[in-house]
Every structure is written in C-alpha cells, then in structure tokens.
Amino acid sequence: ETGVTQTPRHLVMGMTNKKSLKCEQHLGHNAMYWYKQSAKKPLELMFVYSLEERVENNSVPSRFSPECPNSSHLFLHLHTLQPEDSALYLCASSQGGGGEPYNEQFFGPGTRLTVL
Amino acid sequence: GQNIDQPTEMTATEGAIVQINCTYQTSGFNGLFWYQQHAGEAPTFLSYNVLDGLEEKGRFSSFLSRSKGYSYLLLKELQMKDSASYLCAVRDSNYQLIWGAGTKLIIKP
C-alpha cells in the first residue's frame, strides 16, 4: 500500500448506529487531518493531530470522536449522526503540522457517508 | 472573517488555455496551494506559491499577488483529463489551511 488509504470507501448508516472510519498513511508523515467535504462547499477541517496529539478541533459536534493511536493511523468514530452529516470524509497527512514553510497535504480517497 | 473566492464552474475547449482565479481575505498569509480533484477521488497537490510571481510546472502555472490577495491557475493545452475541480487554499497566520469551494472545470472536445 502506498500513500494514504481510507476504509470503508462507502458507508450507509442509520442515526442510531455506531461506526468508525479508518485512515492509514504510508508516507512517514507526523501530522494527520480529518476533513468534511460537502457538495459545493469548502473543505471543512475537523481535526488535526501532530505527533499523535490533537492540536485542532474546530467546534466539531461530539458525535464525531477522533482517535490517533500512532502516527500512521487515524480513526473517526461516529455515533448518533444526523442526516446533515452525510458528506465525503477525507483524511490527509503531511510532514509537520503546518508550522513549516512548505508541507503539502496528501489526501486519501475519502469515505462517502450517507446517514439515513 | 476569512474568505476564499473562486468561480463555481468554468467551461473550456480541448487544446485551449484557461485561467482559474482565486481571491482571498485571510488573517495573515503563509502560502497558497492549488489542488486538483477528479470526481470521486482525492485532491492532489498541483502548486504552491508563497512569493509574488509565476510558478510554472509543465502545462500548469500558478501566479500570486500578495498585495492584491489574488492568485490564478493557468492551464495550457487543455486535455479531456483536465476536467476536474480545482481547489484554492491559503495558509493563514496560524498555519491553518483555509479552503475555497473549488472550481469545476468542464472540458469540451
């Protein structure tokens, strides 16, 4: 496996379900990100982990819970979601958490989430 | 507030040239990125500008004017595979990326 991988690619869940999204990066990076992408809207940064510590939490509802067990893996635990949470959830990684002059983010293919 | 503006959709002809504009208002500036995203796929990095001027990379070029809060992505010799969304993102004073909504580029034969 190379780059950034995400599983599952598609997920349909009811509002009472609990599910988890998984992201894995094979690039040796030390920062990982969760984004939400809704149609015709800018990417919304949800969480940032740098060196396995959460450094950013942009007022995301508590029904989204991130977990970063090591620098290569990132999870997003979902529970009691709402239909408006339906979107593409993208994971990204970079070398450095943003405080370096040049550190492009590498994205995974995303998980298309539908909440019924 | 912080804001990135780019056209929602553009159409161009195969073989032609197209310029996608991006204007920004952010608290501080630490670089501007352009990403390409094909439908159903991950965004992929295209270019990075931090100083004023033009950065050329093959058929793609990106220009920055920090005093005007303005950038453009220039695509030459358009190919059908260039049909995609193009995302502009600015890194602010906190080194957080602020994203535009993207420009969907449609290439016609």
Side-chain angles (χ1 to χ4, degrees), chain A residues 19-87:
Chain A
K19 296 286 184 183
S20 295
L21 310 184
K22 178 183 176 182
C23 175
E24 185 173 359
Q25 60 96 1
H26 309 268
L27 301 167
H29 290 161
N30 57 16
M32 297 187 77
Y33 311 77
W34 277 118
Y35 284 94
K36 176 182 178 183
Q37 187 175 37
S38 302
K40 299 185 179 180
K41 289 186 178 179
L43 281 172
E44 297 174 47
L45 179 64
M46 300 175 72
F47 301 103
V48 180
Y49 277 82
S50 180
L51 298 172
E52 301 159 41
E53 287 192 18
R54 191 191 304 182
V55 295
E56 194 76 39
N57 177 355
N58 286 345
S59 302
V60 178
S62 60
R63 57 185 183 268
F64 294 92
S65 175
E67 178 190 359
C68 186
N70 55 60
S71 60
S72 299
H73 293 86
L74 186 65
F75 294 90
L76 188 62
H77 303 299
L78 316 171
H79 63 98
T80 59
L81 294 192
Q82 304 298 311
E84 60 264 29
D85 297 323
S86 297

Side-chain angles (χ1 to χ4, degrees), chain A residues 37 42 98 101-103 105 108, chain B residues 35 37 42 45 48 91 95-96 99:
Chain A
Q37 187 175 37
Y102 177 81
N103 59 331
Q105 293 180 13
Chain B
Y35 281 79
Q37 185 177 23
F45 170 78
Y48 172 75
R91 193 154 55 194
Y95 287 90
Q96 181 173 145
W99 292 84

